[in-house]
Amino acid sequence: MRRVAAMVAMAVLALGVPTAHSAPPEELPNLVPLPLYDLDVEKAEDDPDLPALRFAMATANRGDYALDLFAEPAGPGEATAHQCVDWATDRVCAGRQEVGRFVWHAEHAHHHLEDFALYELRRFRRNGVPDMSRAGLVATSGKVSFCIIDVEYDDESEQPSPLYWLPHPLYYSCIVGAGFQGISPGWRDVYTRGTPGQEIVLAGVAPGTYALVVTTDPEDRLLETDESDNVAVTGVEILPGPRIKVVCASRSGRLRCR
Ligand SMILES: [Zn+2]
């Protein structure tokens, strides 16, 4: 019996018939942040005596497959996040991998994926690239949690998948169940400047030119075809007041500010 099974297995291998969950690892999304935009200085959320730099954040999916996250309840207000890594057909997931946690966000009144983004104010090196060392860090938001959905078309997308050019996208709401979230190929998730948490407090930051760095998935938990393009930079001049002036921006996925 065992020998027959082995022979069948060999025949299957010879014919190249895919076995369950043998999907190539490239059936994954590729998240790329845009440089932070729509910048302004306002009062800090938790301390109106302090100024804070506020901004909008957009993450595009420039891969061929969706970022598709499903939540499994794991306690009150908590769930584990499972990413699709194996697609049977379009929109039918055949295999998932645990990639993090969803938590209930009371202020937004829906579930968030933990540690989805990180905002940092850094010094520039002379070559126009931020100093990513510990010494280069001036201020940070800490890691930020997100509800991740399709908010707008990605007009810089090179290969929008025709399947997703529908009247409305697949991941359309933050309040579906405990958490059914994601970004379709050719779409972007957006957090506007007014969304709670979209700030870096400028306490003690001296006037000067700084790199405002965004990193998507800073813990590298989500699975992507390219993990090296999860950054983008906006160069800002902080003037007395404080007021700010944007002086340069990198391309999506790059660190060099131009
Ligand atoms: Zn939210």
Side-chain angles (χ1 to χ4, degrees):
M1 192 63 192
R2 192 170 288 175
R3 197 164 152 208
V4 170
M7 282 169 73
V8 169
M10 280 175 73
V12 165
L13 280 176
L15 289 168
V17 177
T19 50
H21 304 292
S22 66
E26 62 268 26
E27 287 197 351
L28 297 172
N30 185 31
L31 305 181
V32 182
L34 275 61
L36 296 173
Y37 60 100
D38 193 21
L39 275 60
D40 202 1
V41 176
E42 293 172 24
K43 290 174 177 166
E45 288 173 25
D46 294 337
D47 186 346
D49 293 335
L50 294 176
L53 183 55
R54 296 196 69 88
F55 37 78
M57 193 272 200
T59 303
N61 179 1
R62 299 206 172 139
D64 294 333
Y65 291 83
L67 170 69
D68 182 286
L69 299 169
F70 188 78
E72 280 184 19
E78 260 185 50
T80 48
H82 299 256
Q83 180 182 347
C84 185
V85 296
D86 183 357
W87 292 91
T89 65
D90 289 317
R91 299 197 175 195
V92 179
C93 185
R96 292 185 179 274
Q97 198 163 312
E98 188 175 332
V99 290
R101 267 186 350 142
F102 280 111
V103 288
W104 179 254
H105 194 287
E107 220 171 346
H108 290 199
H110 51 233
H111 280 87
H112 274 189
L113 183 73
E114 281 195 322
D115 303 341
F116 182 71
L118 175 65
Y119 310 128
E120 296 172 317
L121 202 60
R122 290 186 168 274
R123 287 179 228 288
F124 271 116
R125 293 191 190 278
R126 279 189 195 176
N127 60 4
V129 169
D131 179 350
M132 299 302 282
S133 74
R134 187 180 290 257
L137 183 65
V138 175
T140 178
S141 62
K143 285 169 210 141
V144 180
S145 65
F146 259 65
C147 163
I148 305 157
I149 56 170
D150 295 322
V151 173
E152 63 182 26
Y153 287 122
D154 177 31
D155 57 18
E156 290 167 54
S157 176
E158 282 168 22
Q159 357 175 257
S161 163
L163 178 75
Y164 291 94
W165 290 86
L166 296 170
H168 64 79
L170 181 57
Y171 308 99
Y172 63 94
S173 170
C174 284
I175 53 170
V176 177
F180 174 59
Q181 302 186 7
I183 309 175
S184 300
W187 284 77
R188 290 176 188 158
D189 182 27
V190 176
Y191 265 27
T192 58
R193 188 178 75 202
T195 308
Q198 289 298 104
E199 68 170 16
I200 291 178
V201 178
L202 293 177
V205 177
T209 303
Y210 298 93
L212 178 60
V213 182
V214 56
T215 306
T216 301
D217 187 27
E219 295 290 326
D220 265 341
R221 292 197 192 114
L222 299 174
L223 301 157
E224 304 179 52
T225 53
D226 185 346
E227 302 284 2
S228 72
D229 58 3
N230 286 9
V231 289
V233 178
T234 311
V236 294
E237 196 180 338
I238 297 182
L239 304 159
R243 292 174 298 123
I244 49 140
K245 202 169 104 185
V246 173
V247 294
C248 61
S250 72
R251 281 195 225 146
S252 300
R254 303 293 169 87
L255 283 175
R256 184 174 302 280
C257 210
R258 310 183 306 167

